[in-house]
Amino acid sequence: MPLARSTRRRLAGAVTTVLAITLGATALTAPAYAAPFAAGVLAADATSTADPIAYPKGGRLVGAGVTGFLTTSNTNISIFQRYSDGAGQTYEGGAVYLRSTPTTDFLVFRGGPTITQRNLTTNGTLEVPVGSLAGDAKWAGAAADAVFTTVVTEAGTVLRKHVDEAPTVTVTGLPADATLVMVTPATPAHAMVTFTRNGLGKWGLLDLATGVLTPGAPAIGREAVSATHIAWSVAAATELRVFVADRATGEVQEAPVPPGPTPGNPQVGLVGDWVLYGQKGGMNFAQPSVHHAITAYNVTTKATVKVLDHAYEFTSAPDGSLYARGGLVGRGEGMYRFAATGGDTLKAELVATTGEPTEVVATDSTVPPAVLDLDQANGFTFKWTMSREVSLPKLTVRHVRTGKTHTMTVPRSSTPAFAWVDKNEYEDVHNGDYTWELTGSPGNGIGPDVTARGTFTVVRKAQPHDFNDNGSPDLLSRDSAGRLWRTDLIYRAIDEWSSIDEASARTYLGSGWGVYDSIEAAGDLGGTPVGDLLARDKSGVLWLYQGKGTGNFATRVQVGGGWQVYDKITSGSDLTGDGRVDALATDRSGVLWLYTGTGNATKPFLPRTKIGTGWGMHNDITAVGNIAGGTAGDLVARDKDGVLWLYLGKGDGSLAPRTKIGGGWNAFRSLIAAGDADGDGRPDLMGLGAPYQTSKLYKSTGDWKIPFRTGEVMYVEQVNANASDLVF
């Protein structure tokens, strides 16, 4: 079936490049993707204006002719395409070969009892019968316009040449005891003949005009032949060596090959005075090698230059040029043509492209949105799909404000994925701006390291006890010297061992806090996205310290006087349903007062409202947020007998009748609203243990009938070690 024609735009200088090698040069300038081993310059050729045609993805290059080239797939589908426009013909089944004279292309079809040669200019055919029985002609190969067969006679093996509209010619010079004879193209005037004799591999050059085979010189290789040179390679586990022989003089010289172990399977090609060499199919290898790159060496000027980052195969064309299916970083994958210019310049042209890059690229990715709400998700999983495997893929996520960096690595993969989680056993994640960077090395070493970068912003609802903006609760404590300390906590979710732990050593925040007789974590009173503090001095003046999100607080602002009438103060719940945090206070006569929040730091409360009496029975009240799934924030209160009561907020500034939660809560010296400690979206309650008692975290259930789960042990050794401190 015919191939669709490719669209060819006209872009000056887009296709052809010139690889100019200057004899005696000591310095060079070259693009990073074409950095040479020694002197060399890769420059654009402004005379070419056509885009490359399409190359079949996965197609193996098996021949290059006068008018087009031939590829074969792993499913035995061959395609012949014209250089001029990319149009071509597909052939399924059987082996197909492209052979050419300097003016004409031929396709040779092998399969069944007949070898068929088709002239692509005249469409004329030559058919040569072959068989499998003794005495039958056997396929031996093809070169130029000829098909070759062997016949075993009483005199030995006979090699015959078949040309359309010409008598069959018997090749002379082939030893009668030759076996395993194979004929392949060498130069426009010669074919290469390989055979086995006495168990040893032999070779020779067949003059296509005379039919005379001349044996190759001993110790001279036979991998590539041109009109002037013969080239071959010798590969060992520890090195690769490449040799070039002058056909006229027999002089042999060795090309400079980078030292280093080789995985084997090298290839060489010849173009004028240039020999090209390197590892065959380096893109498919799992490990890097200095031999994956294709080097061109000029046997006259002794100059070398890297021409491709890798190549699957070489094939010579009848005009003396060399075609390579390979790739060059910055140019991409496809078929490249190399031609000698008669001087110290090697012309390189991208003739056909697969549209694929040679360097590793991400073909798909899953990265965070611009704003990542960690109230809705426990972190994010970064994922990439790479064009091929990457070694040592590494993701680095950095919090811009603090510089805190989290680095993750995964094994070699073409689909690396990194789970960047909010709450884990190691650390919590701050709110704010982040940068991320993915890096990795191509598994086969071809091309530069892959790098991808981006940014995102983490947000959460303000937590009343989160002062360093990382989503986990903190405990504040004031010691007997009036110094303020912050202890960062972390929730470690490890099955039955889940617990609140101290994340690090406590942080000193400042001195002079001994002037206050009451300090309370207040939630977001001032309109910032972090928790604030309310502090009452001994004269009854109330001060607001706004949280800065860094773990410390802004300069205090006076927000009221006369607060000495209260024996208990709490803040952190929205009782009015307006989305702003309110404060509650009980006076010494047992009256409960509501201070509706305004969200304004300079005047955070409206005038107080009386919402209850009889609160003198309680020795601790704590605004815990919406723990019971109702319409507003709630309140818990502990009476003097250690019984804990739940007061559900109704959303209008009032509280529903109390519900008993349980007894034994006098084991705690204070109850502290933790905010959402475990990341389940519900606020929790911390009980700070009285002397010789265990501190515990009570996670909210969202059910007012049973508002808390069984307490989990809190490991707060630093806090417990200073039992005389005021902790809030």
Side-chain angles (χ1 to χ4, degrees), residues 516 535-543 558-564:
Y516 302 115
R536 182 185 65 190
D537 65 25
K538 295 172 183 178
S539 64
V541 175
L542 191 67
W543 302 87
Q558 182 176 337
V559 296
W563 284 70
Q564 69 274 16

Side-chain angles (χ1 to χ4, degrees), residues 198-216:
N198 299 324
L200 299 176
K202 303 290 183 178
W203 71 282
L205 288 179
L206 171 61
D207 188 314
L208 292 171
T210 65
V212 176
L213 174 64
T214 301

Side-chain angles (χ1 to χ4, degrees), residues 116-148:
T116 301
Q117 179 198 74
R118 180 178 301 162
N119 186 316
L120 295 185
T121 300
T122 66
N123 209 34
T125 60
L126 165 68
E127 294 188 346
V128 180
V130 292
S132 58
L133 299 177
D136 288 346
K138 305 293 192 301
W139 159 261
D145 60 351
V147 173
F148 293 86

Side-chain angles (χ1 to χ4, degrees), residues 138-157:
K138 305 293 192 301
W139 159 261
D145 60 351
V147 173
F148 293 86
T149 61
T150 56
V151 175
V152 178
T153 67
E154 292 182 357
T157 301

Side-chain angles (χ1 to χ4, degrees), residues 50-302:
D51 274 352
I53 60 178
Y55 186 94
K57 291 183 179 179
R60 182 169 57 90
L61 179 63
V62 294
V66 179
T67 62
F69 62 97
L70 183 70
T71 59
T72 299
S73 72
N74 292 333
T75 57
N76 208 25
I77 296 177
S78 299
I79 303 174
F80 177 79
Q81 289 178 253
R82 292 196 300 262
Y83 299 129
S84 59
D85 57 8
Q89 182 69 39
T90 299
Y91 304 93
E92 298 185 17
V96 184
Y97 306 89
L98 175 62
R99 299 294 184 254
S100 306
T101 67
T103 60
T104 307
D105 289 327
F106 300 85
L107 288 180
V108 179
F109 302 90
R110 179 186 171 201
T114 303
I115 305 299
T116 301
Q117 179 198 74
R118 180 178 301 162
N119 186 316
L120 295 185
T121 300
T122 66
N123 209 34
T125 60
L126 165 68
E127 294 188 346
V128 180
V130 292
S132 58
L133 299 177
D136 288 346
K138 305 293 192 301
W139 159 261
D145 60 351
V147 173
F148 293 86
T149 61
T150 56
V151 175
V152 178
T153 67
E154 292 182 357
T157 301
V158 176
L159 178 63
R160 302 186 301 179
K161 172 186 171 186
H162 308 271
V163 177
D164 190 24
E165 298 183 353
T168 299
V169 174
T170 298
V171 172
T172 62
L174 180 72
D177 57 352
T179 60
L180 302 178
V181 180
M182 181 57 62
V183 181
T184 55
T187 72
H190 294 83
M192 182 180 293
V193 180
T194 61
F195 56 92
T196 299
R197 190 180 187 196
N198 299 324
L200 299 176
K202 303 290 183 178
W203 71 282
L205 288 179
L206 171 61
D207 188 314
L208 292 171
T210 65
V212 176
L213 174 64
T214 301
I220 297 294
R222 51 177 175 78
E223 290 182 46
V225 179
S226 71
T228 55
H229 293 87
I230 299 173
W232 68 99
S233 64
V234 177
T238 57
E239 64 177 353
L240 170 65
R241 302 179 71 183
V242 174
F243 300 91
V244 184
D246 188 299
R247 288 183 59 186
T249 65
E251 179 187 358
V252 177
Q253 61 175 292
E254 184 171 0
V257 180
T262 175
N265 202 23
Q267 58 185 334
V268 295
L270 288 166
V271 183
D273 287 344
W274 297 86
V275 58
L276 277 65
Y277 52 88
Q279 172 68 48
K280 184 175 184 178
M283 183 66 86
N284 293 333
F285 280 75
Q287 299 297 326
S289 170
V290 295
H291 303 307
H292 289 338
I294 304 302
T295 301
Y297 169 66
N298 191 300
V299 298
T300 301
T301 67
K302 315 304 181 187

Side-chain angles (χ1 to χ4, degrees), residues 144 314 468 565 598:
F314 295 158
N468 62 348
V565 300
T598 65

Side-chain angles (χ1 to χ4, degrees), residues 618-640:
H618 300 300
N619 60 18
D620 197 355
I621 61 172
T622 305
V624 289
N626 186 352
I627 64 168
T631 58
D634 307 316
L635 185 71
V636 295
R638 181 183 62 189
D639 66 24
K640 296 174 182 178

